[in-house]
Amino acid sequence: MSALFTPLTLRSLEIPNRVWMSPMCMYSAAHEGPEAGVPTDFHLTHLAGRAAGGAGLVMAEATGVRPDGRISPWDLGLWNDRQQEAFTRIAAAIASHGSVPAIQIAHAGRKASTDRPWLADRYVPESEGGWTAVAPSAAAFDGLPVPHELTEDEIRQLVRDFAATAERALAAGFRVVEIHGAHGYLINSFLSPAANHRTDSYGGSWENRLRFPLQVVDAVRAVWPDELPVLFRTSATDWLTENPEDPREGWTGDDTVRLAAELAAHGVDLLDVSSGGLVRDAAISAHPGYQVPFADRVRRTTGLPTSAVGLILDAGQAEEIVASGRADAVMIGREMLRDPHWAHHAADALATGPRWPEQYGYALARRTAKA
């Protein structure tokens, strides 16, 4: 029996296998008007297609908890009834294929209001439908404007915004919610001393830098059912401190292990372990599975379940990660863009029967029989 295709239970939720679709922004929503942030037919076919392709869990892309929380004006949001209505259709479509519908809720922080990446790497000004970004400190992400430094009252409102979006996600039919705390976006920028230069209760010490992220977790956990899991995506390292040639102090793998223990105590059920994104010029040696050791260390040190992500390319590699106990699940991103049926093909490669939709399965079985 393949470890990759055994179920995983988090709280009372059984996820049918360990091949999960990673959240990936598509920059394909309307950027203005009443349809701003609303999922479209593209998002429906994109996400439901991966569920039909065998992924055990399908996670909708980073979804803004309010308008200025989107990475770009073309990103999804979940702060109004129209968005919730459209997401309800998507969650139902994912579930209809036997997959678990999940959503990542997010605020882009100082990296917000940028253009679609295939067009330009630039800030979108207010004159073109953009906005002023917000952050823990008035410290810009390289190449973008200096953000507005959040007041304590504004931080408390953001905590409420995350909780309100989680409530809407639940009402829309999602069974898993993931809080985006990685890649240099708002929560990650509170955690890292390379971006958080505050001197009040939200900055300075390690405990203070954790205050806002843990408040968000607590607020989301308070509105999310006890029987359903909450996930947290983290950047395990900024890739700064580990580089002896880089004088900047950043977030480290040691910090992530400490964070994982805190998150578990606050009701997080799985840590989705990525890395980087806080600064443009970090020295990162990317290779297949390069982020898996971080997930492995968290799992072995704290006991908190983890998912691994980043250049996981084929079935054998994914199987080894799960079977060896280095992570509890794998998040497949770009490979699932290249092959929507990546999970089915992995099951076939591992001699585990793919769970094709019956509309496909009978035709494929006929071809196999004739062969």
Side-chain angles (χ1 to χ4, degrees), residues 172-194:
F174 289 100
R175 309 296 285 166
V176 172
V177 64
E178 177 172 272
I179 299 166
H180 197 348
H183 301 159
Y185 299 123
L186 185 65
I187 290 176
N188 186 208
S189 64
F190 268 90
L191 290 170
S192 176

Side-chain angles (χ1 to χ4, degrees), residues 51-88:
L57 177 146
V58 173
M59 189 172 292
E61 65 191 69
T63 298
V65 300
R66 65 188 203 185
D68 71 356
R70 295 168 293 166
I71 300 169
S72 84
W74 295 270
D75 280 354
L76 298 182
L78 186 49
W79 64 80
N80 65 36
D81 292 345
R82 178 70 190 95
Q83 294 160 347
Q84 181 178 321
E85 177 186 3
F87 268 119
T88 300

Side-chain angles (χ1 to χ4, degrees), residues 3-310:
L4 196 60
F5 288 93
T6 57
L8 175 65
T9 299
L10 297 175
R11 297 202 176 224
S12 297
L13 180 69
E14 183 177 273
I15 304 169
N17 63 49
R18 316 298 182 97
V19 179
W20 300 353
M21 179 182 174
S22 191
M24 293 174 283
C25 288
M26 295 289 107
Y27 309 96
S28 297
H31 68 285
E32 60 183 358
E35 297 298 302
V38 175
T40 66
D41 285 348
F42 169 82
H43 297 95
L44 174 66
T45 56
H46 166 63
L47 294 166
R50 274 64 190 181
L57 177 146
V58 173
M59 189 172 292
E61 65 191 69
T63 298
V65 300
R66 65 188 203 185
D68 71 356
R70 295 168 293 166
I71 300 169
S72 84
W74 295 270
D75 280 354
L76 298 182
L78 186 49
W79 64 80
N80 65 36
D81 292 345
R82 178 70 190 95
Q83 294 160 347
Q84 181 178 321
E85 177 186 3
F87 268 119
T88 300
R89 186 181 176 210
I90 287 174
I94 293 170
S96 73
H97 292 290
S99 298
V100 172
I103 187 169
Q104 184 185 73
I105 60 175
H107 192 294
R110 68 180 188 167
K111 295 174 74 174
S113 194
T114 56
D115 209 338
R116 289 161 288 188
W118 57 83
L119 295 180
D121 180 14
R122 70 175 188 111
Y123 166 69
V124 177
E126 292 184 43
S127 61
E128 297 179 29
W131 54 88
T132 299
V134 301
S137 302
F141 184 74
D142 185 31
L144 298 180
V146 174
H148 164 70
E149 182 173 309
L150 291 160
T151 67
E152 291 194 23
D153 284 344
E154 289 169 336
I155 291 170
R156 286 188 282 270
Q157 180 57 53
L158 276 159
V159 173
R160 293 191 289 269
D161 293 334
F162 270 93
T165 292
E167 286 186 295
R168 287 187 177 277
L170 181 66
F174 289 100
R175 309 296 285 166
V176 172
V177 64
E178 177 172 272
I179 299 166
H180 197 348
H183 301 159
Y185 299 123
L186 185 65
I187 290 176
N188 186 208
S189 64
F190 268 90
L191 290 170
S192 176
N196 185 345
H197 307 144
R198 300 178 72 97
T199 57
D200 61 6
S201 62
Y202 288 98
S205 69
W206 189 84
E207 291 78 11
N208 282 356
R209 286 184 279 113
L210 259 64
R211 191 176 309 279
F212 172 64
L214 292 180
Q215 287 178 343
V216 170
V217 169
D218 288 344
V220 169
R221 186 74 265 179
V223 301
W224 200 251
D226 287 342
E227 66 270 19
L228 295 178
V230 171
L231 279 54
F232 189 98
R233 173 166 273 196
T234 189
S235 280
T237 174
D238 297 333
W239 298 102
L240 299 178
T241 304
E242 294 89 344
N243 181 0
E245 298 180 1
D246 198 318
R248 291 170 291 185
E249 179 189 3
W251 185 261
T252 69
D254 290 342
D255 291 326
T256 295
V257 171
R258 294 175 68 192
L259 172 65
E262 290 286 345
L263 292 173
H266 285 257
V268 167
D269 302 288
L270 180 142
L271 191 66
D272 179 8
V273 184
S274 186
S275 72
L278 189 85
V279 298
R280 289 188 192 273
D281 59 344
I284 303 174
S285 177
H287 54 272
Y290 72 105
Q291 296 174 143
V292 175
F294 297 112
D296 183 12
R297 183 182 174 197
V298 166
R299 188 177 187 274
R300 294 184 186 281
T301 302
T302 70
L304 182 65
T306 63
S307 59
V309 66

Side-chain angles (χ1 to χ4, degrees), residues 309-344:
V309 66
L311 290 177
I312 297 172
L313 305 177
D314 59 56
Q317 178 192 13
E319 173 72 11
E320 187 279 329
I321 291 168
V322 175
S324 64
R326 300 170 74 199
D328 296 272
V330 292
M331 287 280 193
I332 306 297
R334 292 171 191 166
E335 291 306 302
M336 211 169 271
L337 296 183
R338 295 183 178 96
D339 179 5
H341 296 115
W342 193 95
H344 289 320

